[in-house]
Amino acid sequence: MSAPHTGYRTLSVLAGLLLAGTALATPAAAADHRPGPAPVSLTEQAGQSSAAYTGRVIARPSANVRKTPNTIHKPIGSLPYGTIIKIRCKVNGEVVDGNPRWYLLKNGGYVAARWVENVNGIPPWC
C-alpha cells in the first residue's frame, strides 16, 4: 500500500520544485523590465509647464539679477521696469521688503519676487 502513496509524494515534490523555480525566476524577469516614461508632474497635469510662467518687473528704475537668492553679492545684471521675464521656479531667500521669495529665471540668475508681478500664475517651488 505504500507504493501508490510514493507516487503522489513524488508528484507533490516535483510540483513544489516547479513552483519554487517559477518564484525564483520572477525577479530575473523583472530585471529585464524597461521603465516607461516618467510620471507627469502636477504642473504638467494642470496644463502648465515650468516654461509657462512669466512675470513683469515692477521695480523702478530696474530690478537686480543676482547669482544667489540674497543681496550678499553684487548684482550680475538688471532688468528695466516693465520687462517681461521667464520664470523657472521660486525659492525662499533673503527677505526683501517683507517678501522672502525669489524667482529663478529661465536664463539663470535670481530676482526678488517683491519686484516682480506674476503675469500668468504663480511659479512652482524649485
Side-chain angles (χ1 to χ4, degrees):
M1 287 193 139
S2 64
H5 293 291
T6 305
Y8 291 121
R9 189 174 309 154
T10 304
L11 183 59
S12 296
V13 170
L14 289 175
L17 288 173
L18 181 61
L19 289 174
T22 303
L24 293 174
T26 302
D32 291 337
H33 173 72
R34 298 186 197 284
V40 176
S41 73
L42 293 177
T43 55
E44 288 172 304
Q45 288 175 7
Q48 291 183 326
S49 69
S50 60
Y53 297 98
T54 56
R56 180 179 298 110
V57 174
I58 59 171
R60 290 185 189 257
S62 62
N64 289 325
V65 179
R66 299 187 183 267
K67 188 175 182 178
T68 57
N70 56 52
T71 59
I72 294 171
H73 303 289
K74 291 183 178 181
I76 58 174
S78 65
L79 300 165
Y81 173 82
T83 301
I84 300 296
I85 58 174
K86 293 181 181 178
I87 302 168
R88 180 177 298 163
C89 56
K90 65 183 172 188
V91 298
N92 280 329
E94 181 181 338
V95 176
V96 175
D97 200 26
N99 189 338
R101 308 286 186 266
W102 288 70
Y103 292 142
L104 175 58
L105 304 177
K106 287 297 269 182
N107 59 352
Y110 291 88
V111 175
R114 169 63 182 94
W115 307 121
V116 176
E117 174 184 51
N118 295 320
V119 173
N120 63 344
I122 300 170
W125 291 98
C126 294

